PDB file of all heavy atoms in Angstrom:
ATOM      1  N   THR A  28      -0.528 -16.682  -0.325  1.00  0.00           N
ATOM      2  CA  THR A  28       0.257 -17.919  -0.236  1.00  0.00           C
ATOM      3  C   THR A  28      -0.320 -18.700   0.936  1.00  0.00           C
ATOM      4  O   THR A  28      -0.165 -18.297   2.084  1.00  0.00           O
ATOM      5  CB  THR A  28       1.747 -17.581   0.036  1.00  0.00           C
ATOM      6  OG1 THR A  28       2.200 -16.618  -0.907  1.00  0.00           O
ATOM      7  CG2 THR A  28       2.611 -18.829  -0.028  1.00  0.00           C
ATOM      8  N   MET A  31      -2.125 -16.384   3.181  1.00  0.00           N
ATOM      9  CA  MET A  31      -1.425 -15.200   3.714  1.00  0.00           C
ATOM     10  C   MET A  31      -1.170 -14.203   2.575  1.00  0.00           C
ATOM     11  O   MET A  31      -0.505 -14.533   1.587  1.00  0.00           O
ATOM     12  CB  MET A  31      -0.098 -15.645   4.342  1.00  0.00           C
ATOM     13  CG  MET A  31       0.609 -14.557   5.111  1.00  0.00           C
ATOM     14  SD  MET A  31      -0.348 -14.037   6.564  1.00  0.00           S
ATOM     15  CE  MET A  31       0.895 -13.080   7.423  1.00  0.00           C
ATOM     16  N   PRO A  32      -1.719 -12.980   2.697  1.00  0.00           N
ATOM     17  CA  PRO A  32      -1.648 -12.052   1.570  1.00  0.00           C
ATOM     18  C   PRO A  32      -0.305 -11.339   1.396  1.00  0.00           C
ATOM     19  O   PRO A  32       0.368 -11.016   2.372  1.00  0.00           O
ATOM     20  CB  PRO A  32      -2.755 -11.028   1.902  1.00  0.00           C
ATOM     21  CG  PRO A  32      -2.992 -11.141   3.361  1.00  0.00           C
ATOM     22  CD  PRO A  32      -2.518 -12.483   3.818  1.00  0.00           C
ATOM     23  N   GLY A  75      -2.475  -8.972   8.432  1.00  0.00           N
ATOM     24  CA  GLY A  75      -1.517  -9.986   8.012  1.00  0.00           C
ATOM     25  C   GLY A  75      -0.836  -9.685   6.691  1.00  0.00           C
ATOM     26  O   GLY A  75       0.149 -10.337   6.332  1.00  0.00           O
ATOM     27  N   VAL A  77       1.508  -8.573   3.855  1.00  0.00           N
ATOM     28  CA  VAL A  77       2.917  -8.175   3.765  1.00  0.00           C
ATOM     29  C   VAL A  77       3.127  -7.480   2.424  1.00  0.00           C
ATOM     30  O   VAL A  77       2.622  -7.927   1.390  1.00  0.00           O
ATOM     31  CB  VAL A  77       3.845  -9.409   3.926  1.00  0.00           C
ATOM     32  CG1 VAL A  77       5.250  -9.130   3.434  1.00  0.00           C
ATOM     33  CG2 VAL A  77       3.881  -9.839   5.390  1.00  0.00           C
ATOM     34  N   ASP A  97       5.620  -5.262   6.902  1.00  0.00           N
ATOM     35  CA  ASP A  97       4.208  -5.329   7.266  1.00  0.00           C
ATOM     36  C   ASP A  97       3.785  -3.932   7.712  1.00  0.00           C
ATOM     37  O   ASP A  97       4.538  -2.965   7.537  1.00  0.00           O
ATOM     38  CB  ASP A  97       3.915  -6.463   8.271  1.00  0.00           C
ATOM     39  CG  ASP A  97       4.443  -6.213   9.670  1.00  0.00           C
ATOM     40  OD1 ASP A  97       4.790  -5.064   9.993  1.00  0.00           O
ATOM     41  OD2 ASP A  97       4.490  -7.180  10.459  1.00  0.00           O
ATOM     42  N   LEU A 102      10.723  -6.119   7.299  1.00  0.00           N
ATOM     43  CA  LEU A 102      11.165  -7.484   7.590  1.00  0.00           C
ATOM     44  C   LEU A 102      12.502  -7.765   6.908  1.00  0.00           C
ATOM     45  O   LEU A 102      12.775  -7.212   5.831  1.00  0.00           O
ATOM     46  CB  LEU A 102      10.129  -8.494   7.087  1.00  0.00           C
ATOM     47  CG  LEU A 102       8.694  -8.317   7.612  1.00  0.00           C
ATOM     48  CD1 LEU A 102       7.733  -9.224   6.860  1.00  0.00           C
ATOM     49  CD2 LEU A 102       8.638  -8.616   9.106  1.00  0.00           C
ATOM     50  N   MET A 104      13.332 -10.760   5.713  1.00  0.00           N
ATOM     51  CA  MET A 104      12.969 -11.638   4.593  1.00  0.00           C
ATOM     52  C   MET A 104      11.535 -12.066   4.813  1.00  0.00           C
ATOM     53  O   MET A 104      10.975 -11.877   5.895  1.00  0.00           O
ATOM     54  CB  MET A 104      13.878 -12.877   4.609  1.00  0.00           C
ATOM     55  CG  MET A 104      14.435 -13.373   3.280  1.00  0.00           C
ATOM     56  SD  MET A 104      13.241 -13.711   2.008  1.00  0.00           S
ATOM     57  CE  MET A 104      12.949 -15.471   2.202  1.00  0.00           C
ATOM     58  N   CYS A 105      10.915 -12.642   3.810  1.00  0.00           N
ATOM     59  CA  CYS A 105       9.569 -13.184   3.982  1.00  0.00           C
ATOM     60  C   CYS A 105       9.395 -14.329   2.990  1.00  0.00           C
ATOM     61  O   CYS A 105       9.480 -14.113   1.770  1.00  0.00           O
ATOM     62  CB  CYS A 105       8.522 -12.095   3.744  1.00  0.00           C
ATOM     63  SG  CYS A 105       6.845 -12.718   3.932  1.00  0.00           S
ATOM     64  N   GLY A 106       9.179 -15.531   3.517  1.00  0.00           N
ATOM     65  CA  GLY A 106       9.052 -16.701   2.653  1.00  0.00           C
ATOM     66  C   GLY A 106       7.753 -16.689   1.860  1.00  0.00           C
ATOM     67  O   GLY A 106       7.761 -16.880   0.643  1.00  0.00           O
ATOM     68  N   HIS A 107       6.626 -16.441   2.547  1.00  0.00           N
ATOM     69  CA  HIS A 107       5.358 -16.460   1.799  1.00  0.00           C
ATOM     70  C   HIS A 107       5.353 -15.310   0.803  1.00  0.00           C
ATOM     71  O   HIS A 107       4.798 -15.423  -0.303  1.00  0.00           O
ATOM     72  CB  HIS A 107       4.147 -16.396   2.749  1.00  0.00           C
ATOM     73  CG  HIS A 107       3.622 -15.026   3.019  1.00  0.00           C
ATOM     74  ND1 HIS A 107       3.957 -14.277   4.132  1.00  0.00           N
ATOM     75  CD2 HIS A 107       2.797 -14.224   2.286  1.00  0.00           C
ATOM     76  CE1 HIS A 107       3.360 -13.099   4.077  1.00  0.00           C
ATOM     77  NE2 HIS A 107       2.646 -13.043   2.986  1.00  0.00           N
ATOM     78  N   GLY A 108       5.990 -14.176   1.190  1.00  0.00           N
ATOM     79  CA  GLY A 108       6.043 -13.029   0.286  1.00  0.00           C
ATOM     80  C   GLY A 108       6.899 -13.307  -0.947  1.00  0.00           C
ATOM     81  O   GLY A 108       6.593 -12.839  -2.044  1.00  0.00           O
ATOM     82  N   THR A 109       7.978 -14.083  -0.763  1.00  0.00           N
ATOM     83  CA  THR A 109       8.831 -14.429  -1.911  1.00  0.00           C
ATOM     84  C   THR A 109       8.052 -15.317  -2.886  1.00  0.00           C
ATOM     85  O   THR A 109       8.132 -15.134  -4.113  1.00  0.00           O
ATOM     86  CB  THR A 109      10.111 -15.144  -1.417  1.00  0.00           C
ATOM     87  OG1 THR A 109      10.768 -14.301  -0.470  1.00  0.00           O
ATOM     88  CG2 THR A 109      11.058 -15.438  -2.569  1.00  0.00           C
ATOM     89  N   ILE A 110       7.284 -16.264  -2.338  1.00  0.00           N
ATOM     90  CA  ILE A 110       6.468 -17.134  -3.206  1.00  0.00           C
ATOM     91  C   ILE A 110       5.404 -16.284  -3.918  1.00  0.00           C
ATOM     92  O   ILE A 110       5.209 -16.400  -5.146  1.00  0.00           O
ATOM     93  CB  ILE A 110       5.824 -18.265  -2.370  1.00  0.00           C
ATOM     94  CG1 ILE A 110       6.924 -19.174  -1.797  1.00  0.00           C
ATOM     95  CG2 ILE A 110       4.831 -19.070  -3.203  1.00  0.00           C
ATOM     96  CD1 ILE A 110       6.453 -20.180  -0.764  1.00  0.00           C
ATOM     97  N   ASN A 150      16.376 -20.571   1.068  1.00  0.00           N
ATOM     98  CA  ASN A 150      16.564 -19.384   1.910  1.00  0.00           C
ATOM     99  C   ASN A 150      18.038 -19.191   2.280  1.00  0.00           C
ATOM    100  O   ASN A 150      18.882 -20.050   2.017  1.00  0.00           O
ATOM    101  CB  ASN A 150      15.691 -19.544   3.167  1.00  0.00           C
ATOM    102  CG  ASN A 150      15.459 -18.234   3.888  1.00  0.00           C
ATOM    103  OD1 ASN A 150      15.886 -17.166   3.440  1.00  0.00           O
ATOM    104  ND2 ASN A 150      14.784 -18.291   5.021  1.00  0.00           N
ATOM    105  N   GLY A 177      15.883 -17.252  10.752  1.00  0.00           N
ATOM    106  CA  GLY A 177      15.545 -17.851   9.464  1.00  0.00           C
ATOM    107  C   GLY A 177      15.302 -16.757   8.433  1.00  0.00           C
ATOM    108  O   GLY A 177      14.553 -16.945   7.473  1.00  0.00           O
ATOM    109  N   ASN A 179      14.295 -13.749   9.742  1.00  0.00           N
ATOM    110  CA  ASN A 179      13.785 -12.928  10.842  1.00  0.00           C
ATOM    111  C   ASN A 179      14.173 -13.674  12.114  1.00  0.00           C
ATOM    112  O   ASN A 179      14.685 -14.796  12.054  1.00  0.00           O
ATOM    113  CB  ASN A 179      12.254 -12.761  10.736  1.00  0.00           C
ATOM    114  CG  ASN A 179      11.847 -12.007   9.482  1.00  0.00           C
ATOM    115  OD1 ASN A 179      12.236 -10.865   9.286  1.00  0.00           O
ATOM    116  ND2 ASN A 179      11.062 -12.648   8.619  1.00  0.00           N
ATOM    117  N   PHE A 181      13.215 -15.523  15.673  1.00  0.00           N
ATOM    118  CA  PHE A 181      12.079 -16.285  16.204  1.00  0.00           C
ATOM    119  C   PHE A 181      12.368 -16.820  17.608  1.00  0.00           C
ATOM    120  O   PHE A 181      13.497 -17.245  17.900  1.00  0.00           O
ATOM    121  CB  PHE A 181      11.767 -17.483  15.288  1.00  0.00           C
ATOM    122  CG  PHE A 181      11.258 -17.050  13.944  1.00  0.00           C
ATOM    123  CD1 PHE A 181      12.144 -16.707  12.926  1.00  0.00           C
ATOM    124  CD2 PHE A 181       9.890 -16.937  13.698  1.00  0.00           C
ATOM    125  CE1 PHE A 181      11.684 -16.278  11.685  1.00  0.00           C
ATOM    126  CE2 PHE A 181       9.429 -16.509  12.465  1.00  0.00           C
ATOM    127  CZ  PHE A 181      10.319 -16.181  11.458  1.00  0.00           C
ATOM    128  N   HIS A 225       9.276 -12.469  15.939  1.00  0.00           N
ATOM    129  CA  HIS A 225       8.177 -13.409  15.733  1.00  0.00           C
ATOM    130  C   HIS A 225       8.209 -14.472  16.845  1.00  0.00           C
ATOM    131  O   HIS A 225       9.285 -14.814  17.341  1.00  0.00           O
ATOM    132  CB  HIS A 225       8.307 -14.159  14.402  1.00  0.00           C
ATOM    133  CG  HIS A 225       8.184 -13.301  13.176  1.00  0.00           C
ATOM    134  ND1 HIS A 225       9.086 -12.320  12.823  1.00  0.00           N
ATOM    135  CD2 HIS A 225       7.258 -13.305  12.190  1.00  0.00           C
ATOM    136  CE1 HIS A 225       8.716 -11.766  11.692  1.00  0.00           C
ATOM    137  NE2 HIS A 225       7.603 -12.341  11.277  1.00  0.00           N
ATOM    138  N   VAL A 243       2.168 -18.856  14.130  1.00  0.00           N
ATOM    139  CA  VAL A 243       3.247 -17.864  14.063  1.00  0.00           C
ATOM    140  C   VAL A 243       2.671 -16.473  14.270  1.00  0.00           C
ATOM    141  O   VAL A 243       1.775 -16.043  13.532  1.00  0.00           O
ATOM    142  CB  VAL A 243       3.966 -17.918  12.689  1.00  0.00           C
ATOM    143  CG1 VAL A 243       5.146 -16.951  12.664  1.00  0.00           C
ATOM    144  CG2 VAL A 243       4.431 -19.332  12.379  1.00  0.00           C
ATOM    145  N   LEU A 244       3.185 -15.782  15.286  1.00  0.00           N
ATOM    146  CA  LEU A 244       2.797 -14.388  15.540  1.00  0.00           C
ATOM    147  C   LEU A 244       3.765 -13.472  14.805  1.00  0.00           C
ATOM    148  O   LEU A 244       4.983 -13.580  14.965  1.00  0.00           O
ATOM    149  CB  LEU A 244       2.852 -14.079  17.040  1.00  0.00           C
ATOM    150  CG  LEU A 244       2.471 -12.644  17.385  1.00  0.00           C
ATOM    151  CD1 LEU A 244       0.962 -12.443  17.315  1.00  0.00           C
ATOM    152  CD2 LEU A 244       3.005 -12.242  18.765  1.00  0.00           C
ATOM    153  N   CYS A 245       3.217 -12.541  14.002  1.00  0.00           N
ATOM    154  CA  CYS A 245       4.027 -11.604  13.225  1.00  0.00           C
ATOM    155  C   CYS A 245       4.194 -10.285  14.000  1.00  0.00           C
ATOM    156  O   CYS A 245       3.469 -10.040  14.972  1.00  0.00           O
ATOM    157  CB  CYS A 245       3.358 -11.331  11.879  1.00  0.00           C
ATOM    158  SG  CYS A 245       3.201 -12.812  10.867  1.00  0.00           S
ATOM    159  N   PRO A 246       5.124  -9.405  13.573  1.00  0.00           N
ATOM    160  CA  PRO A 246       5.359  -8.159  14.310  1.00  0.00           C
ATOM    161  C   PRO A 246       4.116  -7.288  14.434  1.00  0.00           C
ATOM    162  O   PRO A 246       3.989  -6.520  15.394  1.00  0.00           O
ATOM    163  CB  PRO A 246       6.435  -7.447  13.481  1.00  0.00           C
ATOM    164  CG  PRO A 246       7.125  -8.525  12.747  1.00  0.00           C
ATOM    165  CD  PRO A 246       6.105  -9.594  12.485  1.00  0.00           C
ATOM    166  N   TYR A 250      -1.490 -13.214  12.938  1.00  0.00           N
ATOM    167  CA  TYR A 250      -0.846 -14.518  12.806  1.00  0.00           C
ATOM    168  C   TYR A 250      -0.648 -14.839  11.328  1.00  0.00           C
ATOM    169  O   TYR A 250      -1.376 -14.346  10.460  1.00  0.00           O
ATOM    170  CB  TYR A 250      -1.694 -15.611  13.486  1.00  0.00           C
ATOM    171  CG  TYR A 250      -2.993 -15.901  12.783  1.00  0.00           C
ATOM    172  CD1 TYR A 250      -3.100 -16.953  11.875  1.00  0.00           C
ATOM    173  CD2 TYR A 250      -4.115 -15.116  12.997  1.00  0.00           C
ATOM    174  CE1 TYR A 250      -4.279 -17.211  11.205  1.00  0.00           C
ATOM    175  CE2 TYR A 250      -5.303 -15.359  12.330  1.00  0.00           C
ATOM    176  CZ  TYR A 250      -5.378 -16.411  11.442  1.00  0.00           C
ATOM    177  OH  TYR A 250      -6.547 -16.655  10.764  1.00  0.00           O
ATOM    178  N   ASP A 251       0.363 -15.655  11.070  1.00  0.00           N
ATOM    179  CA  ASP A 251       0.663 -16.051   9.699  1.00  0.00           C
ATOM    180  C   ASP A 251      -0.315 -17.140   9.271  1.00  0.00           C
ATOM    181  O   ASP A 251      -0.396 -18.188   9.912  1.00  0.00           O
ATOM    182  CB  ASP A 251       2.105 -16.550   9.608  1.00  0.00           C
ATOM    183  CG  ASP A 251       2.624 -16.497   8.190  1.00  0.00           C
ATOM    184  OD1 ASP A 251       1.818 -16.681   7.256  1.00  0.00           O
ATOM    185  OD2 ASP A 251       3.835 -16.281   8.008  1.00  0.00           O
ATOM    186  N   ARG A 252      -1.042 -16.870   8.207  1.00  0.00           N
ATOM    187  CA  ARG A 252      -1.972 -17.879   7.674  1.00  0.00           C
ATOM    188  C   ARG A 252      -1.195 -19.004   6.990  1.00  0.00           C
ATOM    189  O   ARG A 252      -1.680 -20.132   6.887  1.00  0.00           O
ATOM    190  CB  ARG A 252      -2.933 -17.245   6.660  1.00  0.00           C
ATOM    191  CG  ARG A 252      -4.131 -16.516   7.268  1.00  0.00           C
ATOM    192  CD  ARG A 252      -3.744 -15.214   7.935  1.00  0.00           C
ATOM    193  NE  ARG A 252      -4.902 -14.421   8.335  1.00  0.00           N
ATOM    194  CZ  ARG A 252      -4.858 -13.437   9.222  1.00  0.00           C
ATOM    195  NH1 ARG A 252      -3.714 -13.125   9.830  1.00  0.00           N
ATOM    196  NH2 ARG A 252      -5.940 -12.749   9.514  1.00  0.00           N
ATOM    197  N   SER A 253      -0.020 -18.689   6.461  1.00  0.00           N
ATOM    198  CA  SER A 253       0.858 -19.709   5.879  1.00  0.00           C
ATOM    199  C   SER A 253       1.727 -20.285   7.003  1.00  0.00           C
ATOM    200  O   SER A 253       1.732 -19.751   8.109  1.00  0.00           O
ATOM    201  CB  SER A 253       1.748 -19.078   4.807  1.00  0.00           C
ATOM    202  OG  SER A 253       2.847 -18.408   5.409  1.00  0.00           O
ATOM    203  N   PRO A 254       2.495 -21.348   6.731  1.00  0.00           N
ATOM    204  CA  PRO A 254       3.375 -21.876   7.789  1.00  0.00           C
ATOM    205  C   PRO A 254       4.635 -21.030   8.000  1.00  0.00           C
ATOM    206  O   PRO A 254       5.518 -21.442   8.727  1.00  0.00           O
ATOM    207  CB  PRO A 254       3.734 -23.275   7.282  1.00  0.00           C
ATOM    208  CG  PRO A 254       2.791 -23.569   6.172  1.00  0.00           C
ATOM    209  CD  PRO A 254       2.439 -22.253   5.559  1.00  0.00           C
ATOM    210  N   CYS A 255       4.726 -19.858   7.360  1.00  0.00           N
ATOM    211  CA  CYS A 255       5.808 -18.883   7.557  1.00  0.00           C
ATOM    212  C   CYS A 255       7.142 -19.432   7.044  1.00  0.00           C
ATOM    213  O   CYS A 255       7.776 -20.281   7.688  1.00  0.00           O
ATOM    214  CB  CYS A 255       5.939 -18.477   9.026  1.00  0.00           C
ATOM    215  SG  CYS A 255       7.044 -17.061   9.252  1.00  0.00           S
ATOM    216  N   GLY A 256       7.576 -18.894   5.912  1.00  0.00           N
ATOM    217  CA  GLY A 256       8.812 -19.395   5.289  1.00  0.00           C
ATOM    218  C   GLY A 256      10.040 -19.166   6.155  1.00  0.00           C
ATOM    219  O   GLY A 256      10.870 -20.070   6.328  1.00  0.00           O
ATOM    220  N   THR A 257      10.163 -17.955   6.723  1.00  0.00           N
ATOM    221  CA  THR A 257      11.342 -17.690   7.560  1.00  0.00           C
ATOM    222  C   THR A 257      11.219 -18.457   8.880  1.00  0.00           C
ATOM    223  O   THR A 257      12.217 -18.936   9.421  1.00  0.00           O
ATOM    224  CB  THR A 257      11.515 -16.180   7.801  1.00  0.00           C
ATOM    225  OG1 THR A 257      10.271 -15.628   8.275  1.00  0.00           O
ATOM    226  CG2 THR A 257      11.920 -15.463   6.531  1.00  0.00           C
ATOM    227  N   GLY A 258       9.988 -18.583   9.395  1.00  0.00           N
ATOM    228  CA  GLY A 258       9.785 -19.353  10.624  1.00  0.00           C
ATOM    229  C   GLY A 258      10.064 -20.828  10.413  1.00  0.00           C
ATOM    230  O   GLY A 258      10.657 -21.497  11.275  1.00  0.00           O
ATOM    231  N   SER A 259       9.640 -21.359   9.263  1.00  0.00           N
ATOM    232  CA  SER A 259       9.927 -22.766   8.958  1.00  0.00           C
ATOM    233  C   SER A 259      11.430 -22.976   8.816  1.00  0.00           C
ATOM    234  O   SER A 259      11.962 -24.038   9.185  1.00  0.00           O
ATOM    235  CB  SER A 259       9.218 -23.184   7.663  1.00  0.00           C
ATOM    236  OG  SER A 259       7.817 -23.155   7.836  1.00  0.00           O
ATOM    237  N   SER A 260      12.127 -21.954   8.294  1.00  0.00           N
ATOM    238  CA  SER A 260      13.597 -22.053   8.168  1.00  0.00           C
ATOM    239  C   SER A 260      14.240 -22.119   9.546  1.00  0.00           C
ATOM    240  O   SER A 260      15.145 -22.938   9.796  1.00  0.00           O
ATOM    241  CB  SER A 260      14.138 -20.823   7.411  1.00  0.00           C
ATOM    242  OG  SER A 260      13.561 -20.748   6.128  1.00  0.00           O
ATOM    243  N   TYR A 288       3.383 -26.334   3.660  1.00  0.00           N
ATOM    244  CA  TYR A 288       4.657 -26.154   2.957  1.00  0.00           C
ATOM    245  C   TYR A 288       5.373 -27.490   2.975  1.00  0.00           C
ATOM    246  O   TYR A 288       5.314 -28.219   3.988  1.00  0.00           O
ATOM    247  CB  TYR A 288       5.568 -25.162   3.672  1.00  0.00           C
ATOM    248  CG  TYR A 288       5.311 -23.692   3.420  1.00  0.00           C
ATOM    249  CD1 TYR A 288       5.857 -22.746   4.282  1.00  0.00           C
ATOM    250  CD2 TYR A 288       4.569 -23.240   2.345  1.00  0.00           C
ATOM    251  CE1 TYR A 288       5.657 -21.392   4.078  1.00  0.00           C
ATOM    252  CE2 TYR A 288       4.359 -21.887   2.132  1.00  0.00           C
ATOM    253  CZ  TYR A 288       4.909 -20.966   3.008  1.00  0.00           C
ATOM    254  OH  TYR A 288       4.717 -19.626   2.807  1.00  0.00           O
TER     255      TYR A 288
HETATM  256  O1  PYC B  19       6.630 -16.324   5.373  1.00  0.00           O
HETATM  257  O2  PYC B  19       8.538 -15.661   6.191  1.00  0.00           O
HETATM  258  C1  PYC B  19       7.333 -15.570   6.081  1.00  0.00           C
HETATM  259  C2  PYC B  19       6.630 -14.497   6.820  1.00  0.00           C
HETATM  260  C3  PYC B  19       7.169 -13.559   7.643  1.00  0.00           C
HETATM  261  C4  PYC B  19       6.120 -12.764   8.103  1.00  0.00           C
HETATM  262  C5  PYC B  19       4.965 -13.232   7.535  1.00  0.00           C
HETATM  263  N1  PYC B  19       5.288 -14.289   6.748  1.00  0.00           N
END
Side-chain angles (χ1 to χ4, degrees):
T28 309
M31 189 65 167
V77 163
D97 71 15
L102 304 170
M104 222 305 265
C105 180
H107 93 263
T109 304
I110 296 170
N150 198 3
N179 296 300
F181 293 84
H225 294 66
V243 184
L244 180 77
C245 298
Y250 69 96
D251 201 328
R252 279 72 171 162
S253 80
C255 191
T257 51
S259 294
S260 301
Y288 278 164

